[in-house]
Amino acid sequence: MLKDRITGKFREFLYFIHRHPSTGILPPGVPCQVEHPAIDITHGDIVHPCVRYIEEGFEGHRWWLVYTPFYAGNDNLENPVLCYADNNTDEAPTEWKYYCTIKKQPEYGYNSDPTLLFKNGSLYVFWREVKTPATQQFACDAATFGCSVCNKTVTPLPQPLLKNLDSWHNTVDHEISPTIIESKDTYLAYAMHLTITPPFIYKLPSRIGSFIYRHHLFPLLDAFGIYHDTKSHGISIWKGTSLESPFQYIKTVKIKGTTSLYQPWHMDLLHGAKGSEELYAIIQSSMRFADICLARSNDGEHFSLYRKPLITSKSIGREGIYKPCALIVGNKFHLYYTARDRQDHLLNRLFVTTIDWQELSGILNH
């Protein structure tokens, strides 16, 4: 599209002005094929992918993927779907088979942001709900729910693990895109802490606020680096003792090295090479016009963003980069991400790109 080309050229100019790399380290990778029983409705759309490799396997499969369809921005489709792949090597699979739908469309509100955790032979799926009957039941605006999965049977956990209570016009959310990991004898959850809508919008006459959104003024201001309507406060950290009871919000930490062009939006976590205590956050740099970047933490609390992005729209030749996930299997670093289809701009496609982990570490630290 002409608009994308014009915006892309101006973004390149902004990157030049800020002395920010406009090309990524990794190649574009290859597209993935993901089976879905309602392909005529979802069109094969994929956002919020979370991929996990289970070395000992689960129900005979080592590779697992959870995602949500979001074709044409339709919240009604955004319901978590679980898939598996049967690649028995450390190469990242590109063909995924449908396993089951984790959560169907709620009566009102919507689902989003699924993630996976494998523990003691059990596979757990977590997802967010926003303004649904379930969040109303637990007296919150948004929450992260979970379930265990066995033989295509979904068993819900009794309570949400993370809750975002009502705040200033529901604009502040500190449990976006959560990831749940084990840490010694406890659990930790990490999520993005964001102000979604500028509070001043609610002080304006409704006609002015409607005009701003109807004419897409915020995306325009964002594209030209003038104003970010979404503000990132950093990574929120939660702690829990069990998957059966709510986690406690501990604090929010800023991401060191974030540039003025970035307002980190979504993320996933991965541990470093086997035996390492390093924790990495794989980050979508902004809600719009995103790069995919890597941040490192040596203590599980303080994250520093590497200056060189992993992928950018310029380096992969696609617009609409969205939430990534990554994992290290053997000595390979695999990055899964979604980006807009070139023919159908309402469609998000899943891609995977791979690089030797030691090679990537050397480039990032050079």
Side-chain angles (χ1 to χ4, degrees):
M1 293 177 64
L2 178 60
K3 181 178 70 174
D4 287 339
R5 289 199 295 270
I6 294 173
T7 300
K9 289 296 182 183
F10 193 84
R11 297 291 295 180
E12 284 187 39
F13 174 71
L14 287 178
Y15 279 40
F16 173 77
I17 292 296
H18 290 274
R19 297 185 178 182
H20 192 291
S22 62
T23 57
I25 298 169
L26 276 65
V30 295
C32 298
Q33 301 297 321
V34 183
E35 187 178 68
H36 193 285
I39 197 76
D40 56 325
I41 299 173
T42 68
H43 298 265
D45 191 271
I46 293 177
V47 293
H48 304 130
C50 175
V51 176
R52 297 291 182 257
Y53 175 80
I54 302 171
E55 190 169 0
E56 61 268 42
F58 174 73
E59 297 189 3
H61 313 292
R62 292 183 177 179
W63 294 86
W64 290 87
L65 159 72
V66 67
Y67 73 95
T68 61
F70 194 53
Y71 183 72
N74 186 352
D75 288 339
N76 293 333
L77 301 178
E78 202 175 4
N79 307 305
V81 176
L82 185 62
C83 298
Y84 66 88
D86 286 321
N87 191 344
N88 291 319
T89 71
D90 61 358
E91 296 299 323
T94 58
E95 295 187 10
W96 296 88
K97 300 293 185 182
Y98 173 81
Y99 181 83
C100 73
T101 297
I102 296 298
K103 187 71 189 315
K104 294 182 179 180
Q105 178 187 343
E107 181 183 352
Y108 50 85
Y110 62 92
N111 303 313
S112 69
D113 299 8
T115 187
L116 293 171
L117 173 68
F118 182 74
K119 173 179 168 57
N120 296 335
S122 296
L123 184 63
Y124 294 90
V125 183
F126 307 94
W127 68 94
R128 270 172 47 92
E129 297 191 22
V130 180
K131 300 182 186 300
T132 66
T135 62
Q136 185 177 41
Q137 176 187 349
F138 288 98
C140 57
D141 178 52
T144 298
F145 293 85
C147 68
S148 62
V149 181
C150 183
N151 295 322
K152 299 188 178 180
T153 299
V154 174
T155 304
L157 298 176
Q159 300 181 68
L161 296 188
L162 316 180
K163 292 202 301 183
N164 191 71
L165 302 178
D166 288 344
S167 54
W168 173 259
H169 287 284
N170 303 326
T171 65
V172 180
D173 196 329
H174 63 330
E175 51 112 19
I176 289 176
S177 188
T179 303
I180 297 170
I181 64 172
E182 285 187 271
S183 178
K184 299 179 182 178
D185 296 326
T186 187
Y187 295 94
L188 292 172
Y190 295 81
M192 286 300 190
H193 189 165
L194 295 154
T195 296
I196 306 297
T197 306
F200 76 81
I201 283 291
Y202 299 98
K203 299 178 182 179
L204 297 174
S206 59
R207 286 181 298 176
I208 297 178
S210 297
F211 178 86
I212 289 173
Y213 282 102
R214 187 169 62 251
H215 293 277
H216 308 289
L217 295 188
F218 280 142
L220 184 63
L221 294 174
D222 197 0
F224 290 98
I226 298 171
Y227 179 74
H228 300 291
D229 53 318
T230 299
K231 178 178 176 57
S232 173
H233 304 286
I235 297 174
S236 64
I237 303 175
W238 310 64
K239 185 176 290 187
T241 56
S242 166
L243 297 179
E244 303 289 320
S245 57
F247 286 21
Q248 179 184 2
Y249 168 69
I250 304 301
K251 60 182 174 180
T252 293
V253 294
K254 292 186 178 298
I255 305 169
K256 186 178 178 181
T258 300
T259 74
S260 59
L261 293 176
Y262 287 169
Q263 292 293 323
W265 172 249
H266 281 10
M267 71 168 186
D268 187 31
L269 292 176
L270 66 151
H271 290 283
K274 203 167 184 178
S276 169
E277 295 186 0
E278 297 166 341
L279 188 64
Y280 292 87
I282 184 80
I283 293 173
Q284 176 188 343
S285 65
S286 308
M287 181 173 64
R288 313 177 191 95
F289 317 110
D291 300 337
I292 301 301
C293 303
L294 196 65
R296 173 180 168 176
S297 174
N298 293 324
D299 59 7
E301 289 191 4
H302 301 90
F303 289 85
S304 296
L305 197 74
Y306 287 103
R307 182 175 179 272
K308 300 173 183 176
L310 299 182
I311 61 171
T312 68
S313 288
K314 180 180 179 180
S315 61
I316 67 170
R318 290 180 183 272
E319 302 295 330
I321 293 174
Y322 211 69
K323 187 255 182 185
C325 67
L327 60 167
I328 299 171
V329 180
N331 64 345
K332 300 288 184 63
F333 175 88
H334 305 294
L335 170 67
Y336 284 88
Y337 68 94
T338 63
R340 194 183 305 151
D341 185 78
R342 291 195 181 106
Q343 280 70 47
D344 183 354
H345 282 221
L346 301 177
L347 178 64
N348 300 288
R349 293 285 192 190
L350 179 66
F351 298 85
V352 61
T353 181
T354 297
I355 189 173
D356 180 85
W357 173 241
Q358 294 301 322
E359 179 185 351
L360 176 60
S361 297
I363 296 171
L364 288 170
N365 289 299
H366 181 68

